[in-house]
Amino acid sequence: MTGFEFALLLLAWAIGGGSPGPATLAIAGTAMNQGRAAGLAVASGITCGSAAWGLTAALGLSALMVNNAWIVEIMRYVGASYLLFLAYKSMRSAVSDKPLMPVAASKGGLGRLFVEGLLIHLTNPKAVLGWGAVFAIAVPLGAAPLVVFETYAALLMVSCCVFLGYAVLFSTGVFVRGYQKLRRWFEASFAILFGLAGLKILTAKII
């Protein structure tokens, strides 16, 4: 995978992480209803949950892929199918009149909000699916542990920026109002990018 292709993969990872889902809606809802500090606490918990799933995927897949090349192909098709499913969901949302409905985490101290964010991601099976799929795409068969770690660090950094960025942006009234006005355009863009990424994965020769 070239540097340009890896950059595109990171962009797709950022778009996937930022698209509406349990994690992002919890961050947005908490930030809007309880303020920036509360939103950042939930986002930090979600980021730690993502880090845990990513480490699990990195250690497990890097070991299995060395002697089982077929795992790469399975994860490739699973990952591409998931991206195409996200494209379908985003397009449905783009043509829907239903507004964004973020759900805030329950009120409490910052520690409690952190734990709630952590549990949101640890109990989301799509999180480990996403990590597993992207490792199967980005990490060459039989790659050195350093390559796996560098990929993990880059993906985690993107996730951190996305989740913490959500908390900051959705605690800003101007951004929330602008997002609600342009929601359909955002969702349509997500649908196109998810679809292109899914098709790219399906047609790529990884092994």
Side-chain angles (χ1 to χ4, degrees), residues 5-142:
E5 290 174 335
F6 187 66
L8 289 179
L9 183 68
L10 292 179
L11 177 61
W13 182 252
I15 294 170
S19 63
T24 52
L25 293 180
I27 296 170
T30 303
M32 285 191 289
N33 292 308
Q34 301 178 42
R36 181 166 297 175
L40 287 171
V42 174
S44 297
I46 288 171
T47 301
C48 288
S50 181
W53 278 131
L55 189 60
T56 300
L59 294 176
L61 284 179
S62 61
L64 287 173
M65 284 164 50
V66 172
N67 298 314
N68 299 277
W70 57 270
I71 292 178
V72 182
E73 285 294 290
I74 291 178
M75 293 304 299
R76 175 162 74 102
Y77 286 111
V78 170
S81 299
Y82 180 54
L83 285 172
L84 293 175
F85 171 70
L86 290 177
Y88 168 73
K89 282 186 62 179
S90 296
M91 188 55 69
R92 281 193 61 185
S93 180
V95 300
S96 172
D97 293 327
K98 187 177 181 180
L100 177 69
M101 296 295 290
V103 180
S106 61
K107 292 186 178 180
L110 296 183
R112 178 176 177 178
L113 292 172
F114 173 87
V115 172
E116 287 197 25
L118 179 65
L119 293 176
I120 285 172
H121 225 54
L122 288 180
T123 56
N124 182 6
K126 293 181 180 179
V128 70
L129 173 64
W131 276 101
V134 80
F135 270 119
I137 297 165
V139 179
L141 187 64

Side-chain angles (χ1 to χ4, degrees), residues 125-170:
K126 293 181 180 179
V128 70
L129 173 64
W131 276 101
V134 80
F135 270 119
I137 297 165
V139 179
L141 187 64
L146 180 60
V147 174
V148 177
F149 175 77
E150 289 175 344
T151 303
Y152 169 74
L155 293 169
L156 183 59
M157 182 65 67
V158 171
S159 295
C160 183
C161 292
V162 169
F163 293 139
L164 296 179
Y166 248 79
V168 173
L169 291 175
F170 277 89

